[in-house]
């Protein structure tokens, strides 16, 4: 990495993603000159530690971005819509974790293993895709590139931390209540602010984000639309069903993929996974080896296992894809974009 250092702001530093962002910047020894930690007025004044040094949180305002080179945003879509343009106006490059700009034309939507080159065309904002999309496209891109790809059908098994710290707290409290034989109180999930809330503890909720007019949820539509944008594959057929489950970290996905090439073997797909950057193959039925949300938690890679050929369609394959939603799904992918931005001098 270059010797140059950068003024970095983390917006939403106290959040589930923001905290991982700081951990990742520290672990990767990102070349930071000055670090600015931003939150809402609620947390302003609180202290957080980075590399052994204490930082005081400040309320995020347009002026917070004076002299900032790189701003990592994860404070919700409305904050990004309001403050990201202000940061850009003041000369910062924004890497945004929310859905605010992902489908905006001219805003690169980037998973470095798939479309790093798109970073080059940024006009100030680079969008970090949805967590469940990132891990799926990272695993599927090597297959698409080598074998062609016609159709993807995915069902997700997603962790509560994907809905932020409040959702994780809700699972903790409800689990305790359930074991105590008490009534479960639900105020956050499936979607904070939606009409109905259902318990997540010992349950499964087939709703992530709000419903759209077509009957799909917004999370499902994110997976569908973002996959096509990241892969530059507008004609790829994608269908998704997204489900929230009662564990804290990592999203798991059952992915069905139909390739274009004829006569592909499971071994070929396994080899592609073994050679792909950022992917770890964990696939040995004889040793009961496969990834799980717990085994992937805290790791930066995307883990793939249970690769099988469809029994009826010789071009169809099934994969099990697991990754830490707060790392590759959010903080690590963002820091990786920042690393590529700096290494390629694309600021
Ligand atoms: N969790 C994931 O797996 C994941 C993955 C990819 C993308 N994302 C996206 O990242 C964003 C944050 O998610 P999260 O899970 O980290 O949520 P979270 O745990 O609820 O954290 C929200 C963060 O936003 C800050 N914030 C709230 N209102 C603000 C305001 N008016 N001005 C400045 N900061 C404000 C909060 O600060 P206070 O401490 O002051 O409240 C907190 O730091 C969301 O848009 C989410 O969709 C999340």
């Amino acid at each position: 990495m270059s010797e140059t250092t950068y003024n970095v702001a983390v917006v939403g530093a106290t959040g589930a993603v923001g905290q991982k962002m700081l951990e990742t910047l520290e672990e990767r020894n990102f070349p930071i000159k000055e670090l600015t930690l931003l939150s809402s007025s609620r947390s302003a004044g609180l202290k957080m530690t980075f590399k052994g040094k204490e930082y005081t949180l400040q309320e995020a305002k347009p002026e917070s971005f004076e002299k900032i080179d790189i701003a990592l945003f994860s404070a919700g879509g409305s904050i990004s819509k309001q403050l990201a343009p202000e940061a850009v106006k003041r000369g910062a490059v924004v890497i945004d974790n929310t859905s605010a700009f992902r489908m905006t034309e001219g805003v690169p939507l980037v998973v470095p293993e798939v479309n790093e080159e798109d970073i080059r065309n940024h006009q100030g904002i680079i969008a970090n895709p949805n967590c469940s999309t990132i891990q799926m496209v990272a695993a599927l891109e090597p297959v698409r590139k080598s074998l062609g790809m016609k159709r993807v059908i995915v069902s997700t098994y997603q962790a509560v931390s994907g809905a932020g710290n409040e959702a994780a707290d809700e699972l903790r409290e409800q689990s305790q209540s359930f074991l105590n034989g008490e009534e479960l109180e639900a105020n956050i999930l499936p979607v904070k602010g939606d009409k109905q809330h259902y318990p997540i503890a010992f349950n499964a909720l087939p709703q992530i984000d709000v419903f759209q007019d077509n009957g799909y949820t917004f999370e499902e539509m994110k997976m569908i639309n973002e996959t096509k944008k990241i892969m530059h594959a507008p004609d790829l057929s994608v269908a998704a069903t997204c489900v929230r489950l009662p564990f804290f970290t990592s999203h798991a996905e059952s992915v069905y993929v139909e390739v274009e090439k004829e006569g592909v073997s499971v071994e070929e797909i396994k080899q592609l996974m073994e050679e792909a950057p950022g992917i770890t193959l964990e696939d040995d039925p004889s040793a009961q080896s496969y990834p799980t949300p717990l085994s992937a938690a805290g790791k930066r890679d995307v883990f793939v296992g249970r690769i099988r050929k469809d029994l009826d369609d010789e071009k169809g394959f099934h994969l099990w894809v697991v990754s830490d939603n707060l790392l590759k799904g959010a903080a690590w992918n963002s820091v990786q974009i920042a690393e590529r931005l700096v290494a390629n001098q694309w600021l």
Side-chain angles (χ1 to χ4, degrees):
M1 201 168 284
S2 73
E3 301 290 344
T4 322
T5 53
Y6 302 88
N7 290 335
V8 175
V10 177
V11 189
T14 52
V17 174
Q19 289 173 17
K20 290 288 167 192
M21 206 84 91
L22 292 176
E23 276 176 38
T24 309
L25 287 167
E26 183 161 346
E27 278 168 22
R28 300 290 298 175
N29 201 19
F30 191 81
I32 295 176
K33 194 192 300 170
E34 264 183 50
L35 180 67
T36 302
L37 302 186
L38 302 170
S39 66
S40 77
S41 57
R42 287 182 297 275
S43 297
L46 295 179
K47 312 256 189 237
M48 287 182 88
T49 308
F50 180 79
K51 288 193 171 177
K53 191 177 152 195
E54 252 192 8
Y55 289 82
T56 305
L57 282 146
Q58 300 166 35
E59 185 181 352
K61 294 181 181 158
E63 310 82 78
S64 313
F65 300 96
E66 302 287 354
K67 301 204 182 111
I68 296 296
D69 301 309
I70 299 172
L72 302 165
F73 271 70
S74 64
S78 60
I79 308 303
S80 289
K81 280 192 183 141
Q82 193 189 322
L83 290 179
E86 297 291 341
V88 173
K89 221 191 280 175
R90 289 166 174 79
V93 173
V94 168
I95 300 171
D96 184 33
N97 252 280
T98 77
S99 57
F101 302 102
R102 286 180 190 150
M103 296 309 296
T104 305
E105 231 185 278
V107 173
L109 181 66
V110 178
V111 177
E113 291 86 348
V114 180
N115 61 334
E116 175 180 332
E117 278 290 317
D118 287 356
I119 300 174
R120 185 196 287 273
N121 302 322
H122 77 82
Q123 293 156 26
I125 300 177
I126 301 157
N128 194 76
N130 172 50
C131 40
S132 38
T133 310
I134 293 177
Q135 65 186 68
M136 182 173 82
V137 297
L140 293 189
E141 178 64 3
V143 177
R144 193 189 71 85
K145 257 182 23 202
S146 293
L147 311 171
M149 192 178 286
K150 276 177 77 171
R151 171 183 289 274
V152 176
I153 302 172
V154 54
S155 298
T156 70
Y157 306 71
Q158 296 183 224
V160 288
S161 62
N165 282 333
E166 284 180 323
D169 289 343
E170 183 164 84
L171 172 59
R172 247 175 239 114
E173 282 153 26
Q174 286 176 358
S175 301
Q176 199 65 59
S177 301
F178 187 96
L179 296 173
N180 291 342
E182 294 160 7
E183 192 114 331
L184 304 189
E185 197 184 320
N187 299 310
I188 306 290
L189 291 170
V191 183
K192 192 180 175 185
D194 209 347
K195 295 181 285 295
Q196 296 283 344
H197 297 291
Y198 303 107
I200 183 67
F202 303 91
N203 206 359
L205 302 179
Q207 182 193 351
I208 301 187
D209 219 322
V210 292
F211 276 100
Q212 309 293 288
D213 290 343
N214 64 3
Y216 285 76
T217 63
F218 189 42
E219 182 84 352
E220 290 160 354
M221 291 313 298
K222 284 184 242 175
M223 290 198 80
I224 293 166
N225 294 328
E226 292 179 18
T227 297
K228 297 180 195 204
K229 178 168 175 176
I230 299 162
M231 290 181 157
H232 298 274
D235 297 331
L236 180 68
S237 300
V238 187
T241 303
C242 294
V243 180
R244 185 83 67 197
L245 287 178
F247 47 82
F248 290 102
T249 314
S250 306
H251 295 338
E253 298 173 347
S254 164
V255 184
Y256 172 77
V257 54
E258 205 178 301
V259 300
E260 277 170 352
K261 193 176 165 195
E262 290 191 6
V264 174
S265 67
V266 165
E267 283 315 312
E268 256 177 285
I269 306 240
K270 282 189 179 175
Q271 196 178 339
L272 286 171
M273 294 298 126
E274 266 175 336
E275 289 164 2
I279 304 288
T280 299
L281 180 69
E282 263 184 45
D283 192 358
D284 183 0
S286 70
Q288 287 177 278
S289 166
Y290 42 75
T292 68
L294 274 183
S295 69
K299 297 177 185 151
R300 287 197 285 263
D301 262 10
V302 173
F303 296 84
V304 180
R306 302 289 331 272
I307 302 176
R308 288 149 290 153
K309 196 177 210 127
D310 191 76
L311 296 179
D312 297 307
D313 185 340
E314 78 104 21
K315 289 182 176 176
F317 292 87
H318 300 270
L319 294 83
W320 175 244
V321 180
V322 187
S323 192
D324 188 322
N325 56 302
L326 297 173
L327 290 177
K328 185 58 185 163
W332 166 228
N333 198 69
S334 294
V335 172
Q336 221 181 350
I337 292 172
E339 286 184 356
R340 302 322 301 154
L341 196 60
V342 164
N344 291 301
Q345 302 189 315
W346 287 335
L347 266 174

